[in-house]
Amino acid sequence: MILEILHFPDPRLRTRAQFVQKVDKTIQKLVDDLFETMYQAPGIGLAATQVNVHKRIIAIDISEERNQPVCLINPTILTRDGVECLEEGCLSLPGIFEEVQRAKNLTVQALNREGEAILLTTEGLLSVCIQHEMDHLEGKLFVDYLSPLKRQRIRKKLTKQTEKSS
């Protein structure tokens, strides 16, 4: 099922997500819906927070073919090193792209869609994407890394877009 993606500056995007206590059929259905919504959008990452479900779940697929889905439930970054500066976009901020500096390499612990513990070592775009989506779980957006002036400009631009489309 395609879910509605919240857009900045919707205050619900600032909600801190809760840990998933048990991976059951409801959580698995949400994971499937996150992937379906992300692929349809189209995007390479989506956090449950972005669809107004405040659970610590992220869906990522950075492959061109869209055949390498990565589901992380209750993700925790164990190690980070290096620096990567990539242009980021976000399904909650359509049409906005800015460079953000993040860790280049990560080791992440999480549960997968089946509720099994996994350990991932990532680099480059996948590392950046994981950090971006994990920020959503904390109620943080990539524009929070930008200057207040840039953030204000983006807010105005998105408000105008919303007014035009309604």
Side-chain angles (χ1 to χ4, degrees), residues 13 37 40 62 69 81-82 91 105 110 153 159:
L13 288 168
T37 302
Q40 192 264 345
I62 60 169
D81 67 81
L91 295 175
N105 306 300
R153 255 192 243 137
T159 304

Side-chain angles (χ1 to χ4, degrees), residues 77-139:
I77 296 174
L78 301 178
T79 66
R80 60 176 89 213
D81 67 81
V83 175
E84 185 82 78
C85 198
L86 290 178
E87 188 174 73
E88 294 186 23
C90 181
L91 295 175
S92 292
L93 291 107
I96 305 297
F97 299 92
E98 292 288 339
E99 277 201 1
V100 177
Q101 186 174 309
R102 299 196 186 261
K104 183 177 184 171
N105 306 300
L106 298 179
T107 302
V108 181
Q109 171 183 300
L111 300 176
N112 66 14
R113 185 187 176 280
E114 310 311 315
E116 302 159 339
I118 57 170
L119 192 65
L120 274 182
T121 302
T122 64
E123 63 181 27
L125 180 58
L126 183 55
S127 290
V128 167
C129 195
I130 288 170
Q131 291 168 88
H132 175 110
E133 299 309 329
M134 284 182 69
D135 276 354
H136 280 297
L137 303 181
E138 298 300 326

Side-chain angles (χ1 to χ4, degrees), residues 88-90 93-98 142-143 146 154 157-158 161:
E88 294 186 23
C90 181
L93 291 107
I96 305 297
F97 299 92
E98 292 288 339
F142 85 93
V143 293
L146 307 176
I154 290 168
K157 182 178 179 180
L158 290 174
Q161 284 177 1

Side-chain angles (χ1 to χ4, degrees), residues 12-40:
R12 295 173 292 180
L13 288 168
R14 299 299 186 177
T15 306
R16 196 158 186 265
Q18 301 298 307
F19 281 91
V20 173
Q21 299 304 318
K22 182 176 181 233
V23 177
D24 56 16
K25 296 227 179 297
T26 306
I27 295 297
Q28 290 174 335
K29 167 85 171 94
L30 174 59
V31 167
D32 296 342
D33 292 346
L34 284 172
F35 277 107
E36 190 177 344
T37 302
M38 178 189 77
Y39 288 136
Q40 192 264 345

Side-chain angles (χ1 to χ4, degrees), residues 8 143-155:
F8 179 78
V143 293
D144 297 343
Y145 293 95
L146 307 176
S147 71
L149 181 64
K150 269 190 176 173
R151 235 187 348 266
Q152 187 56 37
R153 255 192 243 137
I154 290 168
R155 182 187 300 266

